[in-house]
Amino acid sequence: MSGADRPIPVTVLTGFLGSGKTTVLNRLLRRPSLAGAAVIINEFGAIGLDHLLIEASEEQFALLDNGCVCCTVRGDLVATLKALDQRGRAGDVPELTHVVIETTGLADPAPILHTLMAEPDLAGRYVIAGVVTTVDAVNGWSSLDRHAEAAKQVAVADRLLVTKTDLVSLEVLGELQRRLTALAPTARQSLAQNGEADFDILDIKHFGVAADPDRIAAWLEMAGQECGPDCAHDHAHHHHHSHVHHGIQSYSFVIDEPVEWAAFARWLDYVAALKGEDLLRLKGLVHVTDQPERPLVLHGVQHVFHPPVRLDAWPSADRRTRLVFIVRDIARETIARTLTKFAAIDAASIRAPDRAAA
């Protein structure tokens, strides 16, 4: 596939007010690996980047001036991404290799992901690489308690970057990290000091950009170690604060028997139609009956699902279907019941991950 036709990965950088997103972004974008990247910052526009600084010039600046990038300007976001692609193909700017969207501190990142997946003019050209969420080590705990936006930003993350770690004790940092694990069990955590992060944005490719078996195997291992309600309660009690997640929960399911894809696809349609607004993210690896040696990778955001990707082989010896849901106010029992009813899966085959085995 030529560079002009290769899908452009998009990373969404989010995090609550004051968590250090822009500082982190400036540090990350100095790396040579992002020399051909572009960034869309809040409601201010899309800026072509060199590998040193975020700088706007008159010919590079596209204004999104109607409000927050996550809601009222989604049409402008689509237009801006289309324009970036067109300018790159025309040679007006260097070839576009990556896009980073930095949201406002109060943004809900799910509508951005939804737009990238659902908009026909974008779906074939841009692909979601992942969501990076910054969390302030000093104020992160109280932000999670007080603001539903902060909890949702954490819940949908593929990578959590805890900032300002030099300003808190190891005990406080550990408590916050355990709480983040309870809310986002499959998100990898990294630490940052003075905006310096120990990872590369281009390394976040678990589901969106490339169905890499090794990455998926590592992700599924993390999903199997999910921290349940009792664990979450213990963390909060130890810290002497209420543990509020604003109805946001993460569930993992293991299905022992292979599934019939047509029935499973009907179940996906049902869930998307009736619960899509509260289905923040769904990821999974599915063992299907028609090609049991080649599992399907699923990735969905609210009402929209990427077309399933079929791997050439299983990423590990474990060949069971594994699903991870990040939801708002959807009971685990509801998901299990619909799997039985609409996907024709035996209830005895549906269970939570075996943490001891993981």
Side-chain angles (χ1 to χ4, degrees), residues 11-14 20-37 39 49-54 98 100 132-134 159 161 163 190-192 194-204:
T11 300
V12 178
L13 176 63
T14 190
K21 295 184 298 299
T22 301
T23 300
V24 167
L25 182 59
N26 271 294
R27 298 289 197 277
L28 290 173
L29 291 172
R30 291 177 182 176
R31 300 178 180 180
S33 60
L34 284 177
V39 66
L49 296 179
D50 61 18
H51 64 283
L52 295 176
L53 294 172
I54 304 172
H98 201 103
V100 181
V132 179
T133 299
T134 54
R159 172 78 70 162
L161 182 60
T163 62
S190 298
L191 304 180
N194 299 318
E196 292 292 351
D198 61 354
F199 71 93
D200 193 315
I201 281 180
L202 297 183
D203 193 45
I204 304 172

Side-chain angles (χ1 to χ4, degrees), residues 99-315:
V99 173
V100 181
I101 300 176
E102 180 194 343
T103 76
T104 66
L106 294 173
D108 174 357
I112 297 175
L113 302 177
H114 184 282
T115 299
L116 291 168
M117 294 171 66
E119 175 58 45
D121 291 335
L122 301 182
R125 186 56 175 147
Y126 293 94
V127 62
I128 299 169
V131 178
V132 179
T133 299
T134 54
V135 180
D136 180 344
V138 178
N139 300 307
W141 191 284
S142 61
S143 296
L144 289 172
D145 277 346
R146 298 175 183 176
H147 302 282
E149 299 90 347
K152 196 169 184 181
Q153 289 164 353
V154 168
V156 302
D158 297 291
R159 172 78 70 162
L160 291 169
L161 182 60
V162 184
T163 62
K164 307 179 186 179
T165 55
D166 54 321
L167 302 180
V168 298
S169 68
L170 290 178
E171 180 182 6
V172 170
L173 178 60
E175 288 288 345
L176 176 61
Q177 288 191 278
R178 285 188 288 274
R179 181 169 184 182
L180 295 176
T181 298
L183 183 55
T186 63
R188 292 188 178 274
Q189 294 187 27
S190 298
L191 304 180
Q193 291 188 355
N194 299 318
E196 292 292 351
D198 61 354
F199 71 93
D200 193 315
I201 281 180
L202 297 183
D203 193 45
I204 304 172
K205 302 177 181 177
H206 299 301
F207 278 75
V209 173
D212 185 303
D214 291 336
R215 294 173 187 269
I216 291 175
W219 180 85
L220 288 168
E221 182 178 351
M222 295 178 69
Q225 297 171 358
E226 68 172 359
C227 182
D230 293 339
C231 174
H233 173 76
D234 290 343
H235 295 163
H237 180 73
H238 182 68
H239 203 277
H240 307 294
H241 286 280
S242 61
H243 197 137
V244 180
H245 283 160
H246 308 279
I248 298 172
Q249 296 172 285
S250 176
Y251 307 133
S252 293
F253 289 90
V254 171
I255 302 174
D256 292 323
E257 300 299 324
V259 303
E260 197 273 313
W261 176 247
F264 196 87
R266 286 196 299 271
W267 168 77
L268 286 175
D269 290 340
Y270 169 84
V271 171
L274 296 185
K275 298 292 185 180
E277 187 67 25
D278 295 316
L279 180 62
L280 306 185
R281 292 190 87 174
L282 166 61
K283 297 182 182 181
L285 193 67
V286 183
H287 186 174
V288 290
T289 55
D290 62 335
Q291 295 191 50
E293 299 301 319
R294 300 187 63 198
L296 288 175
V297 177
L298 298 181
H299 183 198
V301 177
Q302 293 188 321
H303 303 278
V304 182
F305 289 87
H306 270 307
V309 176
R310 194 178 290 274
L311 298 182
D312 291 332
W314 284 89

